[in-house]
Every structure is written in structure tokens, then in C-alpha cells.
Amino acid sequence: MSIEVERKFLCSADTLKILQEIGVCACQRQFHDQYFDTPQFHLTLRDVWLRKRKGCWELKCPVARVTGAEETQSEASALCSRYKEITNLRDIKMKLMEVLKDICKDVTSLEQTSCCVTESCRHEMDSEQDKCWVDLDEADFGYRVGEIEVLIPEGGDMRAALDKIERTAKKLGLTGDQRIDGKMSVYLKINHPEHYERLMREHIL
Ligand code: V4E
């Protein structure tokens, strides 16, 4: 199981130029995401995101924040999301049963709530110290977003991951101090405003 630490950004022409200079375009890919939930949104209201990407199940769950020396509450750290990524089917089922116990006995009764297709260009940052990925994504509903992504093992060095992301953001000339919406947030805002409002009210998005 790994933890995905990620900072999203809006990619200006200047940032794109720097990225093309210092990053190596590792691959261009297209993926189809289908998201699933109960009709009452029991998963996403707990910030748990179940999806099928390219036919494989993936579950993203929140990570408990560590306060204190390991991870200071810096502005840069607040711009990053941290999610546990589960891809093993047995572990996904166990987690779903834990989250949905008393609500839904049969995980096969989950419904598809959203779907989108993304064209993504993955860049590898070549500095040994700051090895990370920068993805430029364009969703089929027109939203473009960049992501600086570092994967660490569960219990791994979160501080180092956040520092790596901050240094990479500086190299790319990113100056904004606002959290940038992900594709799913924008998709829900456009296509499922009631679901989006609910998640906003509960401070999930
Ligand atoms: C909405 C959401 C999750 C589902 C994944 O959403 P998103 O990050 O938009 O998708 P994508 O395709 O970029 O996933 P990746 O390819 O990186 O795996 S998981 C968590 N959330 C909530 C969320 C949030 N509250 N804030 C931010 C900045 N992002 C996501």
C-alpha cells in the first residue's frame, strides 16, 4: 500500500516551458475513470473514492495527519493532498466493508456515479534528489490541471515528500497559494451539483 502526496496546479505557458526544459516526457496515456458510491454518497462523504481505471479497481482513502516535527502546518504543505491508495482487490473489499458496515451488506450494490476520460502527459523530473512525477491532465469535459506527485510507502517520510513537492513547485515557478480543484471536483460541480454541494458542506472538497 502506498501514500500518494500530490499538489495540483494550473499550468501557465511559462510553467509548461520550464517543465519541457527540466522534465522528461515519460509517457502519454489515456484513461477512463468510473467512480462508484452508494446512492446516499456514503463513501465520498467519508472522503473515500472508489474507481475503476482502465478496468482495474482502485480505492483512495484519507491519511491521518501527523502534527508536530514530522509535518509542520506550512502553507506549502496545506496545498498538498495525501491519500492512501489501495489496489489489491481483497484489501479494497475489506476497507469497503469497514466503511459501509451497517449501511450496505453487499458491495456489489454500489452504483456508478461519475465517469470521465483523461488525456495525460507524464513528466519525470530528472534531479536525483527531487525525483517525482508531473502530470498534465486534460479531462474530456474540458478541464486541464497539473499534478506534482510523490509516492511513499505507508509510514514513509511525509516531510521529505512534501519538501520534494515544494522544491519542484518552486522550480516550475508556481507561486499560487490556493488549493487547485481536481478533475473530480470540477466534474461533480458541473454534472452533479447536489453531490458537489453536499461534499462542500461536509468540507470533503
Ligand atoms: C476527488 C478526490 C479523489 C478522486 C480523485 O480525484 P482527482 O484527484 O481529481 O483525480 P485524478 O485523476 O487526478 O487522480 P490521480 O490520477 O491523481 O490518482 S481522491 C480525493 N479527492 C478529494 C480531493 C480533494 N479534497 N482535494 C484535492 C486537491 N484533490 C482531491
Side-chain angles (χ1 to χ4, degrees):
M1 247 178 263
S2 50
I3 309 287
E4 181 196 63
V5 191
E6 188 176 275
R7 173 171 166 174
K8 294 187 164 75
F9 64 94
L10 298 177
C11 191
S12 66
D14 288 343
T15 301
L16 180 61
K17 194 161 175 277
I18 300 170
L19 181 60
Q20 287 166 344
E21 280 164 14
I22 64 173
V24 175
C25 184
C27 65
Q28 180 88 37
R29 51 195 185 135
Q30 187 192 66
F31 45 84
H32 178 211
D33 288 330
Q34 297 161 278
Y35 283 85
F36 294 82
D37 204 340
T38 68
Q40 297 78 26
F41 318 130
H42 287 104
L43 292 180
T44 51
L45 283 170
R46 285 162 182 78
D47 205 10
V48 171
W49 301 82
L50 174 67
R51 76 180 173 207
K52 209 177 202 182
R53 172 173 287 184
K54 286 187 150 183
C56 296
W57 290 100
E58 301 178 351
L59 191 70
K60 294 201 186 211
C61 317
V63 179
R65 293 285 178 99
V66 180
T67 45
E70 190 187 339
E71 190 187 333
T72 53
Q73 298 298 306
S74 70
E75 218 171 71
S77 123
L79 297 177
C80 294
S81 59
R82 307 123 170 93
Y83 284 89
K84 188 189 289 187
E85 289 193 328
I86 310 177
T87 51
N88 176 294
L89 204 51
R90 202 177 118 258
D91 294 338
I92 291 177
K93 277 190 189 154
M94 271 168 59
K95 184 70 190 177
L96 289 176
M97 273 161 25
E98 180 193 317
V99 176
L100 296 174
K101 71 174 175 330
D102 310 327
I103 295 163
C104 147
K105 295 273 173 277
D106 181 7
V107 292
T108 57
S109 65
L110 293 168
E111 296 178 356
Q112 182 178 313
T113 50
S114 331
C115 65
C116 75
V117 176
T118 300
E119 293 287 342
S120 178
C121 185
R122 168 152 278 207
H123 297 76
E124 186 177 352
M125 304 308 280
D126 55 4
S127 141
E128 197 46 54
Q129 187 199 13
D130 290 332
K131 212 168 173 55
C132 64
W133 302 102
V134 179
D135 291 340
L136 296 183
D137 287 358
E138 181 167 2
D140 57 356
F141 51 92
Y143 186 60
R144 287 178 186 207
V145 66
E147 301 174 348
I148 306 172
E149 180 183 311
V150 174
L151 283 181
I152 57 172
E154 223 183 338
D157 192 345
M158 179 63 74
R159 180 70 267 161
L162 292 167
D163 287 348
K164 210 181 263 193
I165 290 178
E166 192 177 351
R167 283 193 300 270
T168 304
K170 283 207 174 110
K171 284 183 199 163
L172 292 174
L174 300 177
T175 51
D177 58 0
Q178 299 292 310
R179 269 174 85 97
I180 301 301
D181 284 338
K183 294 188 292 288
M184 236 343 91
S185 305
V186 176
Y187 178 95
L188 292 175
K189 192 185 213 168
I190 297 169
N191 296 293
H192 300 287
E194 276 175 32
H195 187 180
Y196 175 80
E197 287 304 329
R198 207 53 214 288
L199 294 169
M200 287 294 283
R201 244 183 291 140
E202 304 293 334
H203 307 289
I204 303 295
L205 295 178

